[in-house]
């Protein structure tokens, strides 16, 4: 029998309650940017390698973002969310797709470490819908639950995978960026758009099948 609140394939087939509801409790944490958690809601999450964006570029984006956040206090409405994505999220994604840095996730054995970390508590602390491990960043759609607050989940993914990657590559230093980007899904349409983005990201930048790792619920894995 499933634990209370444990996520199953059947529960995620029904999108009822899978999207952000402003009338339900939501927890917000901050690390450079606000991170929202609402139980049972899908979230689109992105994080990157530490060397994937030039420091000067990231510094400029962060400075602009600080000013924007001061004039746009929580809670955000749909328009605020779209403006934030346009001004900051999409700019970062374009930088990531440029393939800057050592791109160690292009190595099959390294992307396998990340995929294993993502799947480890799938169905227990969260439900993993889809993900893509790109050469220098990771995108995923995950359904949240009470057992796994998003900040703790992402910290676990990054911390556990970084230890193994450093051991594999026999290197020291930071593997991942500090923090991450996330957006709670507000509708089935937004969810579908994010899932399509995850699936299309490798082809958008012309990656071969052995240069990324892709997974989507209900389909066979593609890319390695």
């Amino acid at each position: 029998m499933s634990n209370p609140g444990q996520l199953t394939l059947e529960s995620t087939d029904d999108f009822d309650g899978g999207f952000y509801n402003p009338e339900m409790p939501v927890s917000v944490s901050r690390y450079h940017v606000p991170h929202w958690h609402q139980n049972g809601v899908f979230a689109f999450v992105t994080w990157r390698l530490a060397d994937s964006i030039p420091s000067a570029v990231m510094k400029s984006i962060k400075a602009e973002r600080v000013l924007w956040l001061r004039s746009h206090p929580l809670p955000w409405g749909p328009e605020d969310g779209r403006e934030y994505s346009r001004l900051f999220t999409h700019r970062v994604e374009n930088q990531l797709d440029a393939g800057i840095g050592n791109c160690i996730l292009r190595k099959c054995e390294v992307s396998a470490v990340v995929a294993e970390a993502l799947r480890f508590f799938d169905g227990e602390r969260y439900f993993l819908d889809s993900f893509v491990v790109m050469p220098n960043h990771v995108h995923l759609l995950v359904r949240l639950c009470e057992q796994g607050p998003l900040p703790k989940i992402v910290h676990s993914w990054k911390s556990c995978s970084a230890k193994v990657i450093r051991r594999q590559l026999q290197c020291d230093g930071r593997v991942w960026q500090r923090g991450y980007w996330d957006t709670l899904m507000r509708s089935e349409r937004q969810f579908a758009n994010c899932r399509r983005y995850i699936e299309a990201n490798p082809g958008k930048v012309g990656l071969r099948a052995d240069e990324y790792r892709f997974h989507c619920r209900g389909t066979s894995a593609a890319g390695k």
Side-chain angles (χ1 to χ4, degrees):
M1 180 178 293
S2 299
N3 295 328
Q6 184 172 355
L7 300 170
T8 65
L9 286 173
E10 289 75 18
S11 69
T12 56
D13 285 337
D14 183 357
F15 286 102
D16 229 14
F19 306 107
Y20 172 68
N21 183 345
E23 298 181 0
M24 297 297 291
V26 60
S27 61
V28 182
S29 60
R30 284 184 179 271
Y31 185 88
H32 297 306
V33 297
H35 301 297
W36 291 24
H37 180 107
Q38 191 173 76
N39 292 339
V41 173
F42 288 102
F44 178 68
V45 184
T46 298
W47 74 89
R48 60 183 177 85
L49 293 175
D51 66 350
S52 58
I53 298 180
S55 58
V57 174
M58 203 66 228
K59 184 177 180 180
S60 175
I61 294 175
K62 286 180 178 179
E64 294 177 34
R65 187 172 59 197
V66 167
L67 294 176
W68 189 90
L69 290 173
R70 286 175 182 171
S71 61
H72 295 77
L74 295 173
W76 292 346
E79 288 297 327
D80 290 329
R82 284 191 288 270
E83 183 178 355
Y84 181 90
S85 295
R86 177 178 58 82
L87 293 176
F88 307 111
T89 306
H90 295 165
R91 286 168 64 192
V92 170
E93 288 172 353
N94 290 337
Q95 288 287 324
L96 294 175
D97 287 341
I100 298 170
N102 290 324
C103 294
I104 59 175
L105 302 179
R106 197 186 300 267
K107 298 176 182 289
C108 182
E109 65 272 21
V110 179
S111 64
V113 171
V114 179
E116 182 177 357
L118 294 175
R119 292 185 174 116
F120 194 79
F121 285 112
D122 183 22
E124 181 179 342
R125 297 182 181 178
Y126 49 84
F127 178 84
L128 189 61
D129 178 83
S130 53
F131 69 77
V132 63
V133 183
M134 299 288 285
N136 64 1
H137 64 284
V138 179
H139 291 304
L140 63 103
L141 269 170
V142 60
R143 192 168 189 178
L144 309 173
C145 67
E146 188 175 1
Q147 289 93 324
L150 186 57
K152 291 185 177 180
I153 291 172
V154 178
H155 174 77
S156 175
W157 288 333
K158 293 169 65 179
S159 177
C160 293
S161 60
K163 291 177 183 177
V164 179
I165 290 170
R166 280 194 291 265
R167 186 167 62 246
Q168 276 189 348
L169 301 181
Q170 298 182 349
C171 64
D172 297 319
R174 179 171 295 279
V175 173
W176 301 112
Q177 69 161 126
R178 295 183 184 274
Y180 59 95
W181 302 71
D182 65 292
T183 303
L184 292 182
M185 298 292 96
R186 294 174 176 270
S187 66
E188 189 169 347
R189 178 180 179 181
Q190 185 184 19
F191 172 89
N193 288 339
C194 287
R195 186 192 260 187
R196 282 193 293 268
Y197 181 88
I198 288 173
E199 184 174 3
N201 202 187
K204 174 185 174 184
V205 297
L207 295 181
R208 301 190 309 268
D210 63 345
E211 294 180 309
Y212 67 95
R213 191 173 295 269
F214 168 75
H215 163 84
C216 185
R217 174 175 60 91
T219 66
S220 58
K224 300 178 186 171

